[in-house]
Amino acid sequence: MILLLVILALLCTDAVAAAKIPGPSPYAAVDARNAGAEFDNLPGFTRSRYARDHALITPESRVYTGLFGWRETNAAWFVTPAMAGGPTFSMYQALMRPGASSGMPEPGTWRFVFVMDGKISVQDDLELTDGGGAASGRYNDLTHGHFAYFPADHRHKITSSEGASLLIYEKKYVPPTGGVAEAIGPNPPTPRFLVGYTDDLPNIETPGEVFGLKKLLPQSLEWDVNFHVMDFNPGEHLYVKEIHYNQHGLMLLEGKGVYRLGDDWYSVQAGDVIWMAPYVTQWYAALGYKRSRYIILKDTNRDPINTNTP
């Protein structure tokens, strides 16, 4: 009996020794998966998706090029009218290096700038002369969460001495017509130059919903667009499974969750961009342990017969 126990002990010792022989573990792939594989670095892998009525554009898919009229700046275009669903706006990220400066948008086009990182200065209503320029207003040290709206054909200049990352929307201004023009009355005002800070704005009530909502621009009828910043705590979601005529361009600024677009479901996280054409089914739920926050374009105050005509 004792001899049998000794033999078993020796066999077990040999087995343990054999298990410790250096070499690749047959479970290496499983260990890596459990540790969290870096999917963004997998060859050929992307979470991005482009469809007729929506797109998800994730950071690993972005292509940066020079930006016409800008100095020391590269841009990645997320949304343009070239897309199959016919968006009527452009949305892009501008990466400004130290010493960078902006150019003007196309004639008749307004520009909205949201600062994601870094620091910028804004000169408003710049009057160019042969000897230089003079500005009626200058706003310095705009940092993360600040925003600026420049009306169509409004002279301005954006500069950055330290570098900055900007989210920019541009769109041809749609003047009020029909019932909107009648409601405004004669000599209607036009949208004005505006600078603000997101968290200085109050939340607006959203009956039937649970998310926090801030509207960055005034809600008066001369404005043909607004930008909503929407906050969801983990587990909160849109109650309405939305289908509507408004087009959207969205960037998730914080957190993560699941977005339904049409019949597809996407896992999304901070840094992802979503384009939604009119009438695509849309729904969002926030997951994880931190709040979700996104910024989204919404055309407004115009008859739909005029709003989405490229």
Side-chain angles (χ1 to χ4, degrees):
M1 183 65 178
I2 295 175
L3 179 60
L4 180 59
L5 292 174
V6 171
I7 293 172
L8 289 173
L10 290 173
L11 290 173
C12 290
T13 301
D14 290 342
V16 171
K20 294 181 179 180
I21 294 174
S25 166
Y27 303 105
V30 175
D31 294 340
R33 181 193 64 198
N34 291 337
E38 297 182 2
F39 290 107
D40 288 350
N41 293 326
L42 289 177
F45 175 81
T46 179
R47 292 185 295 112
S48 294
R49 170 79 184 279
Y50 174 56
R52 179 190 61 80
D53 56 4
H54 70 271
L56 169 65
I57 303 173
T58 57
E60 74 277 357
S61 299
R62 294 174 189 169
V63 178
Y64 290 87
T65 64
L67 194 55
F68 292 116
W70 293 57
R71 295 179 57 253
E72 297 296 323
T73 304
N74 288 336
W77 296 86
F78 304 136
V79 182
T80 75
M83 300 173 84
T88 61
F89 67 96
S90 292
M91 177 182 180
Y92 59 95
Q93 180 184 15
L95 297 180
M96 304 182 75
R97 294 183 286 277
S101 61
S102 68
M104 285 287 292
E106 289 291 305
T109 301
W110 55 252
R111 171 181 284 165
F112 179 88
V113 175
F114 186 88
V115 183
M116 295 192 294
D117 195 18
K119 185 183 298 185
I120 63 171
S121 295
V122 170
Q123 285 179 294
D124 157 52
D125 201 18
L126 193 65
E127 298 294 335
L128 298 176
T129 66
D130 292 339
S136 64
R138 173 184 282 273
Y139 297 82
N140 295 318
D141 300 336
L142 302 184
T143 57
H144 173 73
H146 282 94
F147 58 88
Y149 174 90
F150 305 97
D153 303 319
H154 187 87
R155 301 293 295 176
H156 66 276
K157 193 171 188 179
I158 304 165
T159 58
S160 180
S161 60
E162 303 177 12
S165 174
L166 309 179
L167 179 64
I168 299 178
Y169 298 82
E170 294 173 352
K171 184 178 182 292
K172 297 283 187 181
Y173 177 65
V174 179
T177 58
V180 177
E182 291 180 7
I184 294 176
N187 302 315
T190 57
R192 66 184 188 276
F193 167 70
L194 186 71
V195 171
Y197 180 64
T198 303
D199 288 331
D200 283 346
L201 299 175
N203 280 336
I204 295 174
E205 289 188 11
T206 55
E209 294 283 3
V210 295
F211 55 80
L213 170 65
K214 299 178 186 294
K215 295 191 177 185
L216 304 189
L217 299 182
Q219 299 178 59
S220 49
L221 295 178
E222 67 268 26
W223 299 81
D224 67 337
V225 71
N226 215 312
F227 293 89
H228 297 181
V229 169
M230 300 172 66
D231 294 331
F232 297 79
N233 290 318
E236 293 181 343
H237 57 83
L238 291 170
Y239 284 163
V240 179
K241 282 63 70 177
E242 298 181 5
I243 299 178
H244 51 60
Y245 77 88
N246 311 85
Q247 58 184 340
H248 288 319
L250 174 155
M251 174 175 270
L252 194 61
L253 302 172
E254 302 175 25
K256 58 186 177 181
V258 172
Y259 226 109
R260 177 184 176 181
L261 300 168
D263 293 329
D264 296 306
W265 300 74
Y266 299 98
S267 298
V268 295
Q269 61 187 358
D272 291 349
V273 170
I274 295 174
W275 162 66
M276 291 171 254
Y279 296 103
V280 64
T281 305
Q282 53 199 258
W283 179 86
Y284 179 69
L287 302 175
Y289 301 97
K290 300 178 180 179
R291 77 170 181 185
S292 288
R293 164 171 281 192
Y294 59 68
I295 182 170
I296 185 169
L297 170 149
K298 184 175 184 179
D299 38 18
T300 186
N301 291 333
R302 297 295 182 267
D303 192 301
I305 202 167
N306 296 322
T307 302
N308 293 310
T309 303

